[in-house]
Amino acid sequence: MSTKVRTADTRERILTAACEVIADIGFEKIRMRMVAERAGVSTALLHYHFDTREKLFTEAMTHSFANTAVDVERDAETAPAAVILARVVRNLLPTDPQLHQDWRLWQELWVRALRDETTRVFAVDLYAQLHAWVADAVRRGIASGEFTPTDVDDLSTLVLSLSDGYGIRLMLRDPTVTLDVALAAIWRQVSTALGLPAAVPTD
């Protein structure tokens, strides 16, 4: 294994461990030693890659989002546009254990962003990336003729807003909101805007 590959593997393990630890106990309580132990590396090696908790946190958030996006877009050139968009919507909600962990990271981000200007700027930028992710999926469907043209930015903002609202209630285990209810409500707005069937597409 080359040095470059080993370095990339180490960073991957550290970032995966950081996501887990932050989701488990919250950013304010973590210590670099905890992440090093979870990743199976020395504290010195962890500090070599990430010299502050803040840098580790922002990299962990970016890592989490990037991994989700790669999985959703795995066959974007061949799958129907509605299927890809439905995957995006599902991945904006805490639909499985990994996404539940991602949501806990987002909640940590929101809290920290209210108190720290650098984190606030980072959070706004990350939301811009989420917006672009939704918008790109919509634009592909419009370009291919699968979707009725609509205001892409407005629809993307609506999808993110609904996902945040329903996602919070799902994370709180609100008994009046189920995953099926949340998906159906969000997809109802999407399908109406894009001229699609009311049922949420499956893979």
Short mmCIF file of all heavy atoms in Angstrom, two decimals, residues 65-81 83-89 91 129-130 132-138 140 203:
data_model
loop_
_atom_site.label_atom_id
_atom_site.label_comp_id
_atom_site.label_asym_id
_atom_site.label_seq_id
_atom_site.Cartn_x
_atom_site.Cartn_y
_atom_site.Cartn_z
N PHE A 65 -21.69 14.33 4.44
CA PHE A 65 -22.52 14.73 3.30
C PHE A 65 -22.01 14.12 2.00
O PHE A 65 -22.78 13.63 1.18
CB PHE A 65 -22.57 16.25 3.19
CG PHE A 65 -23.20 16.75 1.92
CD1 PHE A 65 -24.52 16.46 1.63
CD2 PHE A 65 -22.47 17.49 1.00
CE1 PHE A 65 -25.11 16.91 0.45
CE2 PHE A 65 -23.05 17.94 -0.17
CZ PHE A 65 -24.38 17.64 -0.45
N ALA A 66 -20.71 14.13 1.79
CA ALA A 66 -20.12 13.62 0.55
C ALA A 66 -20.42 12.14 0.37
O ALA A 66 -20.75 11.68 -0.74
CB ALA A 66 -18.62 13.86 0.53
N ASN A 67 -20.33 11.37 1.44
CA ASN A 67 -20.60 9.93 1.35
C ASN A 67 -22.05 9.66 0.99
O ASN A 67 -22.35 8.77 0.20
CB ASN A 67 -20.26 9.24 2.68
CG ASN A 67 -18.78 9.00 2.84
OD1 ASN A 67 -18.00 9.20 1.91
ND2 ASN A 67 -18.37 8.57 4.01
N THR A 68 -22.96 10.43 1.56
CA THR A 68 -24.38 10.27 1.24
C THR A 68 -24.64 10.60 -0.22
O THR A 68 -25.35 9.87 -0.93
CB THR A 68 -25.24 11.19 2.14
OG1 THR A 68 -25.04 10.83 3.50
CG2 THR A 68 -26.71 11.05 1.79
N ALA A 69 -24.07 11.69 -0.71
CA ALA A 69 -24.29 12.11 -2.09
C ALA A 69 -23.76 11.09 -3.08
O ALA A 69 -24.41 10.79 -4.09
CB ALA A 69 -23.63 13.47 -2.33
N VAL A 70 -22.60 10.52 -2.80
CA VAL A 70 -22.01 9.53 -3.71
C VAL A 70 -22.93 8.32 -3.84
O VAL A 70 -23.16 7.81 -4.94
CB VAL A 70 -20.61 9.10 -3.21
CG1 VAL A 70 -20.14 7.85 -3.95
CG2 VAL A 70 -19.61 10.23 -3.43
N ASP A 71 -23.49 7.85 -2.74
CA ASP A 71 -24.37 6.69 -2.77
C ASP A 71 -25.63 6.97 -3.58
O ASP A 71 -26.07 6.15 -4.40
CB ASP A 71 -24.75 6.28 -1.35
CG ASP A 71 -25.70 5.10 -1.33
OD1 ASP A 71 -25.30 4.02 -1.80
OD2 ASP A 71 -26.84 5.26 -0.85
N VAL A 72 -26.21 8.13 -3.39
CA VAL A 72 -27.45 8.47 -4.09
C VAL A 72 -27.23 8.61 -5.58
O VAL A 72 -28.06 8.20 -6.40
CB VAL A 72 -28.04 9.79 -3.52
CG1 VAL A 72 -29.17 10.31 -4.40
CG2 VAL A 72 -28.54 9.56 -2.09
N GLU A 73 -26.08 9.15 -5.97
CA GLU A 73 -25.82 9.45 -7.37
C GLU A 73 -25.12 8.30 -8.11
O GLU A 73 -24.67 8.46 -9.24
CB GLU A 73 -24.91 10.69 -7.46
CG GLU A 73 -25.49 11.94 -6.82
CD GLU A 73 -26.51 12.63 -7.70
OE1 GLU A 73 -26.61 12.27 -8.88
OE2 GLU A 73 -27.22 13.52 -7.19
N ARG A 74 -25.09 7.11 -7.51
CA ARG A 74 -24.27 6.02 -8.05
C ARG A 74 -24.63 5.65 -9.49
O ARG A 74 -23.78 5.19 -10.24
CB ARG A 74 -24.37 4.79 -7.15
CG ARG A 74 -25.77 4.21 -7.03
CD ARG A 74 -25.81 3.10 -5.99
NE ARG A 74 -27.13 2.52 -5.83
CZ ARG A 74 -28.08 2.99 -5.05
NH1 ARG A 74 -27.84 4.07 -4.33
NH2 ARG A 74 -29.26 2.41 -4.97
N ASP A 75 -25.89 5.80 -9.89
CA ASP A 75 -26.29 5.46 -11.26
C ASP A 75 -27.16 6.56 -11.87
O ASP A 75 -28.12 6.30 -12.59
CB ASP A 75 -27.03 4.12 -11.30
CG ASP A 75 -28.24 4.10 -10.37
OD1 ASP A 75 -28.44 5.08 -9.63
OD2 ASP A 75 -28.98 3.10 -10.38
N ALA A 76 -26.79 7.79 -11.57
CA ALA A 76 -27.60 8.94 -11.99
C ALA A 76 -27.73 9.06 -13.50
O ALA A 76 -28.68 9.66 -14.00
CB ALA A 76 -27.02 10.23 -11.41
N GLU A 77 -26.77 8.49 -14.24
CA GLU A 77 -26.82 8.62 -15.70
C GLU A 77 -27.80 7.63 -16.34
O GLU A 77 -28.18 7.78 -17.51
CB GLU A 77 -25.42 8.40 -16.29
CG GLU A 77 -24.38 9.40 -15.81
CD GLU A 77 -24.80 10.84 -16.07
OE1 GLU A 77 -25.33 11.11 -17.17
OE2 GLU A 77 -24.61 11.69 -15.19
N THR A 78 -28.20 6.60 -15.60
CA THR A 78 -29.08 5.58 -16.18
C THR A 78 -30.42 5.44 -15.48
O THR A 78 -31.41 5.06 -16.10
CB THR A 78 -28.37 4.20 -16.15
OG1 THR A 78 -28.00 3.88 -14.80
CG2 THR A 78 -27.11 4.23 -17.03
N ALA A 79 -30.50 5.74 -14.21
CA ALA A 79 -31.76 5.61 -13.47
C ALA A 79 -32.72 6.75 -13.83
O ALA A 79 -32.27 7.85 -14.19
CB ALA A 79 -31.48 5.63 -11.97
N PRO A 80 -34.02 6.50 -13.77
CA PRO A 80 -34.99 7.58 -14.02
C PRO A 80 -34.75 8.76 -13.08
O PRO A 80 -34.39 8.57 -11.90
CB PRO A 80 -36.34 6.91 -13.74
CG PRO A 80 -36.10 5.45 -13.95
CD PRO A 80 -34.68 5.21 -13.47
N ALA A 81 -34.97 9.95 -13.58
CA ALA A 81 -34.73 11.15 -12.78
C ALA A 81 -35.57 11.16 -11.51
O ALA A 81 -35.12 11.62 -10.46
CB ALA A 81 -35.00 12.39 -13.62
N VAL A 83 -36.48 8.62 -9.73
CA VAL A 83 -35.88 7.71 -8.76
C VAL A 83 -34.73 8.40 -8.03
O VAL A 83 -34.61 8.32 -6.80
CB VAL A 83 -35.40 6.42 -9.44
CG1 VAL A 83 -34.52 5.59 -8.50
CG2 VAL A 83 -36.59 5.59 -9.91
N ILE A 84 -33.89 9.10 -8.78
CA ILE A 84 -32.77 9.81 -8.17
C ILE A 84 -33.27 10.90 -7.22
O ILE A 84 -32.78 11.04 -6.09
CB ILE A 84 -31.85 10.44 -9.24
CG1 ILE A 84 -31.27 9.36 -10.15
CG2 ILE A 84 -30.73 11.25 -8.58
CD1 ILE A 84 -30.41 8.35 -9.44
N LEU A 85 -34.27 11.65 -7.65
CA LEU A 85 -34.81 12.71 -6.80
C LEU A 85 -35.45 12.14 -5.54
O LEU A 85 -35.30 12.70 -4.45
CB LEU A 85 -35.81 13.55 -7.58
CG LEU A 85 -36.39 14.77 -6.85
CD1 LEU A 85 -35.29 15.70 -6.35
CD2 LEU A 85 -37.36 15.53 -7.76
N ALA A 86 -36.13 11.02 -5.67
CA ALA A 86 -36.73 10.38 -4.50
C ALA A 86 -35.65 9.91 -3.52
O ALA A 86 -35.82 10.01 -2.30
CB ALA A 86 -37.61 9.20 -4.92
N ARG A 87 -34.54 9.41 -4.07
CA ARG A 87 -33.42 9.03 -3.19
C ARG A 87 -32.90 10.24 -2.43
O ARG A 87 -32.59 10.17 -1.24
CB ARG A 87 -32.27 8.45 -4.02
CG ARG A 87 -32.45 7.04 -4.49
CD ARG A 87 -31.18 6.61 -5.23
NE ARG A 87 -31.37 5.46 -6.07
CZ ARG A 87 -30.55 5.12 -7.06
NH1 ARG A 87 -29.49 5.89 -7.32
NH2 ARG A 87 -30.78 4.05 -7.78
N VAL A 88 -32.78 11.37 -3.13
CA VAL A 88 -32.30 12.59 -2.48
C VAL A 88 -33.23 12.96 -1.33
O VAL A 88 -32.78 13.24 -0.21
CB VAL A 88 -32.22 13.75 -3.50
CG1 VAL A 88 -31.94 15.07 -2.78
CG2 VAL A 88 -31.14 13.49 -4.54
N VAL A 89 -34.53 12.93 -1.59
CA VAL A 89 -35.51 13.28 -0.55
C VAL A 89 -35.38 12.33 0.64
O VAL A 89 -35.37 12.77 1.80
CB VAL A 89 -36.94 13.26 -1.12
CG1 VAL A 89 -37.96 13.41 0.01
CG2 VAL A 89 -37.11 14.38 -2.15
N ASN A 91 -32.81 10.71 1.58
CA ASN A 91 -31.54 10.92 2.27
C ASN A 91 -31.47 12.26 2.99
O ASN A 91 -30.50 12.52 3.71
CB ASN A 91 -30.37 10.77 1.29
CG ASN A 91 -30.00 9.32 1.07
OD1 ASN A 91 -29.16 8.78 1.76
ND2 ASN A 91 -30.65 8.67 0.12
N GLN A 129 -24.65 23.69 -0.59
CA GLN A 129 -24.33 22.43 -1.27
C GLN A 129 -25.53 21.50 -1.31
O GLN A 129 -25.78 20.83 -2.32
CB GLN A 129 -23.16 21.75 -0.57
CG GLN A 129 -21.84 22.51 -0.68
CD GLN A 129 -20.71 21.79 0.02
OE1 GLN A 129 -20.48 20.60 -0.21
NE2 GLN A 129 -20.01 22.49 0.90
N LEU A 130 -26.29 21.45 -0.22
CA LEU A 130 -27.52 20.64 -0.20
C LEU A 130 -28.52 21.17 -1.22
O LEU A 130 -29.16 20.39 -1.94
CB LEU A 130 -28.15 20.68 1.20
CG LEU A 130 -27.54 19.80 2.28
CD1 LEU A 130 -28.26 20.05 3.61
CD2 LEU A 130 -27.63 18.33 1.92
N ALA A 132 -27.89 22.81 -3.94
CA ALA A 132 -27.40 22.48 -5.28
C ALA A 132 -27.63 21.01 -5.59
O ALA A 132 -27.92 20.64 -6.74
CB ALA A 132 -25.90 22.80 -5.39
N TRP A 133 -27.51 20.15 -4.59
CA TRP A 133 -27.74 18.71 -4.77
C TRP A 133 -29.18 18.44 -5.22
O TRP A 133 -29.42 17.72 -6.19
CB TRP A 133 -27.44 18.02 -3.45
CG TRP A 133 -27.39 16.53 -3.49
CD1 TRP A 133 -26.90 15.74 -4.49
CD2 TRP A 133 -27.81 15.64 -2.45
NE1 TRP A 133 -26.99 14.41 -4.14
CE2 TRP A 133 -27.55 14.32 -2.89
CE3 TRP A 133 -28.38 15.82 -1.19
CZ2 TRP A 133 -27.84 13.19 -2.12
CZ3 TRP A 133 -28.66 14.70 -0.42
CH2 TRP A 133 -28.40 13.42 -0.88
N VAL A 134 -30.13 19.06 -4.52
CA VAL A 134 -31.54 18.91 -4.89
C VAL A 134 -31.79 19.54 -6.26
O VAL A 134 -32.42 18.95 -7.14
CB VAL A 134 -32.47 19.55 -3.83
CG1 VAL A 134 -33.92 19.44 -4.27
CG2 VAL A 134 -32.27 18.90 -2.47
N ALA A 135 -31.29 20.76 -6.45
CA ALA A 135 -31.52 21.49 -7.69
C ALA A 135 -30.96 20.75 -8.90
O ALA A 135 -31.60 20.70 -9.96
CB ALA A 135 -30.93 22.89 -7.60
N ASP A 136 -29.79 20.17 -8.77
CA ASP A 136 -29.18 19.44 -9.89
C ASP A 136 -30.04 18.24 -10.28
O ASP A 136 -30.20 17.94 -11.48
CB ASP A 136 -27.77 18.97 -9.52
CG ASP A 136 -26.76 20.10 -9.49
OD1 ASP A 136 -27.09 21.20 -9.97
OD2 ASP A 136 -25.65 19.89 -8.98
N ALA A 137 -30.60 17.56 -9.28
CA ALA A 137 -31.46 16.41 -9.58
C ALA A 137 -32.72 16.86 -10.31
O ALA A 137 -33.18 16.19 -11.26
CB ALA A 137 -31.83 15.68 -8.28
N VAL A 138 -33.26 17.99 -9.90
CA VAL A 138 -34.46 18.52 -10.57
C VAL A 138 -34.13 18.96 -11.99
O VAL A 138 -34.87 18.66 -12.94
CB VAL A 138 -35.06 19.68 -9.76
CG1 VAL A 138 -36.22 20.33 -10.53
CG2 VAL A 138 -35.54 19.20 -8.39
N ARG A 140 -31.80 17.92 -13.98
CA ARG A 140 -31.57 16.78 -14.88
C ARG A 140 -32.90 16.23 -15.40
O ARG A 140 -33.02 15.88 -16.56
CB ARG A 140 -30.79 15.68 -14.14
CG ARG A 140 -29.30 15.94 -14.05
CD ARG A 140 -28.53 14.65 -13.79
NE ARG A 140 -28.94 13.98 -12.57
CZ ARG A 140 -28.36 14.15 -11.38
NH1 ARG A 140 -27.33 14.98 -11.26
NH2 ARG A 140 -28.78 13.50 -10.31
N ASP A 203 -36.48 2.27 -5.87
CA ASP A 203 -35.41 1.81 -6.76
C ASP A 203 -35.85 0.56 -7.51
O ASP A 203 -36.54 -0.27 -6.97
CB ASP A 203 -34.14 1.51 -5.95
CG ASP A 203 -33.42 2.80 -5.58
OD1 ASP A 203 -33.01 3.53 -6.48
OD2 ASP A 203 -33.29 3.07 -4.37
#
